[in-house]
């Protein structure tokens, strides 16, 4: 497959799965990383590993894994923007649709990065086996951890 | 707040109106900015190149040459620098291998987070120690140089001004580094604590 075909296929894939990418990023935007930084890094990482993606696992598993790995590894020490490509993203748009979801976003901001990943995959209704594959833990562990995070969120929302 | 109720809302209502067109993605691919991992690799490569350059250049300067000829403690002080540089180059190779092994495609989120947090922790800690060590090293280096060249006989006033300038710059750099490092190490410490708890629960 030549580069143009590969790029075309990649663009189609990103377009079809943009919902996944946006949702993951929305969970990790914080004082150290902006939408633009994360989005660009995610696209680049997806692009770099796209030729190596073997259809042994689900496409969604692959996208979740790369996107989450990119977001959790983002660790900028200063707020200088090294880049370049301005994105037309209205950050407010994604959290103004429902009060509960807005509250959820407020609470997940207080959770650790791994817990955030688990909650996101849970909300996305991914099977425990797939969550385990993405996270690198067993399905039993996924279940235990999700129950614990649910409890944690419940307690946090009561305060 | 019940997460199960939110899940239902999330499934139904959670849509994103953000517009990203193909042109924008193509532009990102064209610009080919570096990812977090490739930036780390680039930084490590530069570090190794700088160490090799510093080693070669420093050993050929007149003052270190005079130290080598003088022998004894002077020679030891230069050898310490050589050992530090060679150690740094070996460390860079190790760090390069460590970062190169991180693969977003095959590794789970937990392992990537664990490896990177440990790397950042190591880097933040040793960068601070490195700067403090360098200031001490250079301080003693200039002291030995003054003994060798009998600076004190030249002018005590100039020597005092020089010492004050070195100490002031050193203190300023250390202060800047400590403030920045403290902030970052707190974040990293929280990440490591999270991983530890996560791991503990998995073991249970």
């Amino acid at each position: 497959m030549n580069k143009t075909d590969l790029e075309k296929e990649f663009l189609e894939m990103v377009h079809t799965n943009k919902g996944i990418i946006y949702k993951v990023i929305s969970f990790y935007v914080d004082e150290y990383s902006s939408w633009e930084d994360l989005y660009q890094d995610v696209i680049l990482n997806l692009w770099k590993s796209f030729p190596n993606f073997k259809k042994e696992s689900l496409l969604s598993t692959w996208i979740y894994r790369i996107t989450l790995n990119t977001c959790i590894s983002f660790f900028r020490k200063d707020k200088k923007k090294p880049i370049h490509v301005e994105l037309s993203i209205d950050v407010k748009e994604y959290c103004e649709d429902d009060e509960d979801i807005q509250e959820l976003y407020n609470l997940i901001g207080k959770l650790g990065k791994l817990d955030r990943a688990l909650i996101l995959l849970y909300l996305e209704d991914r099977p425990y086996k797939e969550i385990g594959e993405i996270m690198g833990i067993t399905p039993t562990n996924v279940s235990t951890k999700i129950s614990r995070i649910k409890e944690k969120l419940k307690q946090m929302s009561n305060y | 707040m019940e997460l199960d109720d939110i899940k239902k809302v999330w499934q139904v209502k959670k849509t994103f109106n953000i517009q990203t067109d193909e042109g924008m993605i193509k532009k990102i691919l064209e610009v080919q900015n570096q990812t977090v991992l490739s930036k780390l690799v680039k930084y490590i490569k530069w570090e190794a190149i700088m160490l090799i350059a510093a080693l070669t250049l420093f050993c050929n300067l007149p003052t270190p040459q005079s130290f080598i000829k003088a022998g004894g403690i002077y020679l030891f002080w230069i050898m310490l620098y050589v050992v530090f540089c060679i150690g740094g180059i070996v460390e860079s190779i190790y760090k390069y291998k460590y970062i190169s092994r991180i693969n977003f495609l095959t590794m789970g989120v937990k392992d990537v987070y664990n490896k990177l947090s440990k790397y950042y922790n190591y880097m933040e800690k040793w960068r601070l120690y490195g700067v403090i060590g360098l200031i001490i090293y250079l301080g003693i280096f200039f002291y030995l140089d003054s003994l060798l060249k009998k600076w004190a006989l030249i002018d005590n006033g100039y020597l005092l001004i020089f010492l004050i300038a070195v100490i002031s710059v050193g203190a300023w750099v250390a202060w800047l580094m400590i403030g920045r490092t403290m902030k970052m190490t707190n974040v990293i410490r929280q990440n490591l604590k999270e991983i530890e708890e996560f791991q503990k629960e998995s073991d249970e």
Side-chain angles (χ1 to χ4, degrees), chain A residues 44-53 62 66, chain B residues 103-105:
Chain A
L44 278 176
N45 276 320
L46 285 171
W47 172 242
K48 281 181 179 174
S49 56
F50 190 59
N52 299 323
F53 169 61
W62 174 72
I66 301 271
Chain B
N103 187 338
F104 285 180
L105 182 62

Side-chain angles (χ1 to χ4, degrees), chain A residues 21-38:
Chain A
I21 300 169
Y22 296 156
K23 283 173 190 176
V24 176
I25 293 176
S26 73
F27 264 51
Y28 288 92
V29 174
D30 59 20
E31 62 172 311
Y32 297 103
S33 45
S34 70
W35 251 101
E36 290 171 0
D37 296 332
L38 288 174

Side-chain angles (χ1 to χ4, degrees), chain A residues 18-145:
Chain A
K18 63 181 182 184
I20 294 179
I21 300 169
Y22 296 156
K23 283 173 190 176
V24 176
I25 293 176
S26 73
F27 264 51
Y28 288 92
V29 174
D30 59 20
E31 62 172 311
Y32 297 103
S33 45
S34 70
W35 251 101
E36 290 171 0
D37 296 332
L38 288 174
Y39 187 74
Q40 290 183 50
D41 226 35
V42 166
I43 293 293
L44 278 176
N45 276 320
L46 285 171
W47 172 242
K48 281 181 179 174
S49 56
F50 190 59
N52 299 323
F53 169 61
K54 294 175 188 116
K55 286 162 185 155
E56 287 159 6
S57 63
L58 289 169
L59 181 68
S60 60
T61 308
W62 174 72
I63 298 173
Y64 275 118
R65 185 182 279 165
I66 301 271
T67 311
L68 280 167
N69 274 333
T70 307
C71 290
I72 55 119
S73 64
F74 214 87
F75 193 79
R76 172 155 303 159
K77 292 162 188 176
D78 54 60
K79 291 196 174 181
K80 281 180 207 160
K81 286 195 185 296
I83 359 192
H84 357 16
V85 183
E86 289 296 319
L87 307 185
S88 52
I89 292 172
D90 183 0
V91 180
K92 283 181 184 170
E93 267 186 272
Y94 71 84
C95 59
E96 284 183 348
D97 44 8
D98 191 278
E99 269 183 30
D100 279 341
I101 290 175
Q102 211 169 345
E103 195 193 341
L104 175 76
Y105 272 107
N106 291 334
L107 291 175
I108 55 158
K110 295 170 191 165
L111 291 176
K113 286 184 174 181
L114 294 173
D115 285 353
R116 277 186 225 181
L118 276 169
I119 285 300
L120 174 82
L121 295 167
Y122 170 78
L123 289 173
E124 290 287 284
D125 210 20
R126 310 313 302 176
Y128 282 4
K129 190 174 173 276
E130 192 185 346
I131 299 178
E133 270 176 43
I134 296 165
M135 296 297 296
I137 54 177
T138 63
T140 324
N141 267 324
V142 174
S143 163
T144 319
K145 283 179 198 302

Side-chain angles (χ1 to χ4, degrees), chain A residues 107 148-159, chain B residues 1:
Chain A
L107 291 175
R148 183 189 52 81
I149 301 168
K150 274 185 192 174
E151 260 320 294
K152 205 193 246 182
L153 282 172
K154 209 170 169 181
Q155 281 172 5
M156 279 158 70
S157 65
N158 289 336
Y159 285 104
Chain B
M1 188 183 78

Side-chain angles (χ1 to χ4, degrees), chain B residues 8 22 30-31 42 47 53 56 58 74 81 84 89 110 122 130 147 154 162 167 169 178-179 201-202:
Chain B
K8 286 172 201 153
E22 281 192 4
E30 272 167 29
V31 177
K42 190 184 169 191
E47 197 182 66
T56 319
F58 187 76
Y74 299 98
Y81 179 83
F84 168 77
I89 294 162
K110 186 194 80 175
Y122 173 84
L147 288 181
I154 300 167
F162 175 75
I167 292 166
V169 171
I178 289 167
E201 282 170 7
S202 302

Side-chain angles (χ1 to χ4, degrees), chain B residues 16 26 52 61-64 84 88 119-120 130 143 181 193 197:
Chain B
F16 282 72
K26 275 184 181 170
I52 293 166
L61 288 175
T63 308
F84 168 77
Y119 178 78
Y120 288 132
Y143 172 72
T181 306
K193 199 178 160 197
E197 278 170 13

